[in-house]
Amino acid sequence: MPPNHLIPTTPCKNPAGPATKLPRAPPTARPSSGQDSPDNFALLQHSVKCDMQQVILAVLQLPLFAQAIIGFCRVAAGIPGTWADHARYLGTMQLRFADQADFPRIAEQKGLFDSLTTTLPVINCNVTNNSTDVQSFLTFADAILQIKKNCRKVQHQREAEEVCLNPLFCLTAVLPLQLKR
């Protein structure tokens, strides 16, 4: 029996209207190679599945999603204006997630960690008091950075354990030290 409510199966589009029109990249933020920069809004919309309230239910295409976020960060860095303007621009992504199930896979995407690490220091976090969209971006960015940092920490711990468990390494590292005594 089909459900009584609509279940979106294609990427959601923002509602049309002058109040909801999202800004485009300023001309100063375009790459110098002569090619037009990708439409980060379109990349973002095509990479996710949303519900009727624009809440992201799933990231369907991780590389495309990461490319859109990285693109937004680059454009924000190129916008003339204040740090608050950069934060407001990043808030236009409206990154509201139903849950964080995709976050570990998102954090693995190449370039995303570096882009977020570079972007966060140059935005005005005080804007978040008045903007749920900016707060949503900052929450997303903080979660991705923390996941990546935790993964790196675990990886370093595993590498250290492997070195200690390797008998050949222990012999080559410890034996010379004992011979010096």
Side-chain angles (χ1 to χ4, degrees):
M1 181 172 162
N4 293 337
H5 59 282
L6 295 175
I7 299 175
T9 56
T10 59
C12 294
K13 295 184 179 176
N14 288 327
T20 59
K21 190 169 185 174
L22 299 174
R24 295 291 177 213
T28 59
R30 295 197 183 269
S32 60
S33 66
Q35 297 177 343
D36 287 339
S37 62
D39 183 352
N40 297 315
F41 290 99
L43 289 175
L44 185 62
Q45 290 175 346
H46 293 297
S47 66
V48 297
K49 179 178 180 181
C50 298
D51 67 7
M52 300 304 275
Q53 286 78 35
Q54 300 298 316
V55 174
I56 298 171
L57 301 174
V59 177
L60 303 174
Q61 299 178 26
L62 291 167
L64 196 62
F65 179 80
Q67 181 182 354
I69 301 298
I70 292 167
F72 270 99
C73 291
R74 287 182 181 153
V75 170
I79 292 175
T82 66
W83 288 3
D85 295 332
H86 298 177
R88 282 188 209 97
Y89 177 76
L90 292 168
T92 62
M93 286 186 274
Q94 300 174 345
L95 293 177
R96 285 180 236 122
F97 289 85
D99 59 46
Q100 295 185 356
D102 290 330
F103 282 22
R105 292 184 8 240
I106 293 170
E108 295 172 359
Q109 298 304 301
K110 184 177 180 179
L112 187 59
F113 178 83
D114 294 334
S115 184
L116 292 173
T117 302
T118 304
T119 301
L120 286 181
V122 296
I123 63 173
N124 184 346
C125 295
N126 293 330
V127 175
T128 62
N129 296 335
N130 300 328
S131 172
T132 57
D133 291 336
V134 175
Q135 182 62 46
S136 294
F137 170 76
L138 291 175
T139 301
F140 164 78
D142 287 341
I144 295 301
L145 294 177
Q146 191 60 50
I147 289 169
K148 190 69 172 181
K149 288 175 186 176
N150 290 346
C151 288
R152 287 181 176 175
K153 184 178 178 180
V154 168
Q155 181 180 3
H156 290 301
Q157 288 173 344
R158 285 184 183 157
E159 289 171 356
E161 288 172 2
E162 287 175 8
V163 167
C164 290
L165 294 177
N166 184 344
L168 181 60
F169 176 79
C170 289
L171 284 176
T172 58
V174 175
L175 190 58
L177 293 175
Q178 290 179 345
L179 292 175
K180 287 184 180 179
R181 293 181 184 180

